[in-house]
Amino acid sequence: MMRYPYDSKALEEEIGEVTKYATFVTKEIIGYSVLGQPIYELTIGKGPASIHWNGSFHANEWMTSAVLMDVVRQYVKAINHDGVFGEVKARELFSQTRLSVVPMVNPDGVDLVMHGPPHGSDPSEFAKMNGINQTFTPWKGNIRGVDLNNQFPARWEWERARKPKQPSFRDYPGEQPLTEPEAQAMVMLTKKRDFDRVLAFHSQGEVVYWGYQGMEPVQSSKTVDAFYKKSGYLPVRTIESFAGYKDWFIQEYKREGYTVEIGRGINPLPLSSFPVHLEKVKEICAVSLAVPLE
Ligand SMILES: [Zn+2]
């Protein structure tokens, strides 16, 4: 069962447990949030294929962090016990892939959703960004009210033109692309690791977006079909949405990039639904390691 609230502290504790249990899991700090919190990456595996998963780009989608960490635990357990992960021997996946996981891209935002504005901050500033909302549960942006998944230089200007012009609990793309340290950290990491395939986990909808302006590789349609067969998450090639992490990744690298929308309902997803998401996400994650690259 997952711990609650799943805030930055809960994540840190769970990372500590996982790295203690499995010494082959490497922990790195890829950057710091606006409030100076570390953004963690776990890496597992020795293989040539560079695969990446991330969660909680959006603050109130913290369920993705909890689910991803549970999947990581199952994967390392399977490696330790020489079991299978999905349909493949975990040790085979370990030797064929190098997995990178950033379970919580936006720790400040997640903490805001759960605990309210940080100590010493001006509550009226947050109330202004939060609009008509009475609580912080609808908050998606980082602590400065910038939507981190609207920050990437992939038709950013289009989002800039039609989205809020001021910091807001959601959708504000910022004054420029990549002004926010959390988005910068993800760009740096992506360049450093040279990922072959990335999965960005969001909620909700039970769909997988897999295209961007026709720049996605042929393999994407095959991989997403394998996701669908295992999870029932419907493949959707494109929507009228730009400047996201996976959009930028596909544009820059012409490689496989996916936005996986877990669950159905209103964010944050109810705690009780955790086991259902976990089962499906685990299948998708296993496929992402097993399906050969183009
Ligand atoms: Zn999202």
Side-chain angles (χ1 to χ4, degrees):
M1 207 48 226
M2 67 173 283
R3 58 200 84 194
Y4 186 80
Y6 206 91
D7 55 8
S8 61
K9 190 161 169 287
L11 173 73
E12 221 159 60
E13 279 171 19
E14 191 162 20
I15 286 175
E17 289 164 18
V18 170
T19 50
K20 198 177 164 195
Y21 169 77
T23 50
F24 56 81
V25 180
T26 309
K27 177 184 89 175
E28 281 186 50
I29 292 171
I30 64 160
Y32 293 87
S33 68
V34 169
L35 295 179
Q37 297 206 74
I39 301 168
Y40 291 109
E41 181 206 28
L42 298 176
T43 53
I44 305 166
K46 297 184 183 314
S50 186
I51 313 292
H52 172 73
W53 310 335
N54 67 57
S56 290
F57 251 95
H58 286 141
N60 69 350
E61 300 172 11
W62 47 261
M63 177 69 82
T64 56
S65 301
V67 167
L68 278 181
M69 284 305 295
D70 201 299
V71 172
V72 166
R73 288 167 90 108
Q74 293 187 43
Y75 181 40
V76 298
K77 195 174 167 191
I79 294 165
N80 263 345
H81 294 263
D82 199 14
V84 293
F85 186 66
E87 289 174 354
V88 184
K89 279 184 90 86
R91 287 183 186 177
E92 201 173 301
L93 296 173
F94 184 86
S95 68
Q96 286 169 359
T97 62
R98 185 168 197 271
L99 171 64
S100 151
V101 188
V102 177
M104 195 179 282
V105 176
N106 182 10
D108 298 347
V110 170
D111 290 354
L112 174 68
V113 167
M114 290 176 178
H115 309 299
H119 292 293
S121 63
D122 178 1
S124 69
E125 224 173 86
F126 282 92
K128 195 177 155 203
M129 289 190 277
N130 209 20
I132 58 162
N133 303 311
Q134 298 295 310
T135 71
F136 289 98
T137 54
W139 195 281
K140 292 176 77 177
N142 75 351
I143 200 76
R144 286 202 283 237
V146 180
D147 189 322
L148 297 175
N149 209 38
N150 265 329
Q151 267 270 287
F152 290 83
R155 300 206 170 178
W156 175 87
E157 299 76 13
W158 291 31
E159 297 293 14
R160 173 68 179 164
R162 65 181 185 167
K163 290 287 164 70
K165 302 290 183 281
Q166 302 291 330
S168 171
F169 68 103
R170 60 175 295 170
D171 298 336
Y172 172 60
E175 288 301 306
Q176 295 288 329
L178 304 179
T179 51
E180 302 310 292
E182 299 91 350
Q184 290 165 9
M186 289 305 298
V187 165
M188 297 271 285
L189 177 74
T190 304
K191 288 180 174 168
K192 183 173 148 189
R193 297 279 188 243
D194 198 24
F195 296 132
D196 294 305
R197 174 182 289 151
V198 304
L199 284 73
F201 288 86
H202 288 252
S203 66
Q204 42 79 37
E206 300 200 336
V207 294
V208 181
Y209 298 107
W210 58 277
Y212 181 72
Q213 302 289 307
M215 296 175 184
E216 66 280 2
V218 174
Q219 177 62 37
S220 295
S221 69
K222 299 173 196 164
T223 303
V224 87
D225 198 45
F227 292 159
Y228 173 67
K229 287 198 175 87
K230 286 288 172 188
S231 67
Y233 280 22
L234 208 63
V236 178
R237 189 166 188 175
T238 48
I239 40 160
E240 276 291 296
S241 176
F242 308 95
Y245 173 72
K246 85 108 173 59
D247 304 329
W248 170 80
F249 179 79
I250 294 172
Q251 175 192 277
E252 289 302 299
Y253 295 91
K254 314 290 187 292
R255 296 176 189 160
E256 295 172 65
Y258 306 97
T259 296
V260 182
E261 298 279 0
I262 79 166
R264 269 177 205 270
I266 295 169
N267 291 321
L269 294 167
L271 273 186
S272 56
S273 62
F274 176 78
V276 180
H277 312 315
L278 177 60
E279 210 37 58
K280 296 183 173 189
V281 170
K282 187 199 159 184
E283 295 293 342
I284 288 172
C285 286
V287 168
S288 79
L289 295 176
V291 171
L293 299 170
E294 199 157 46

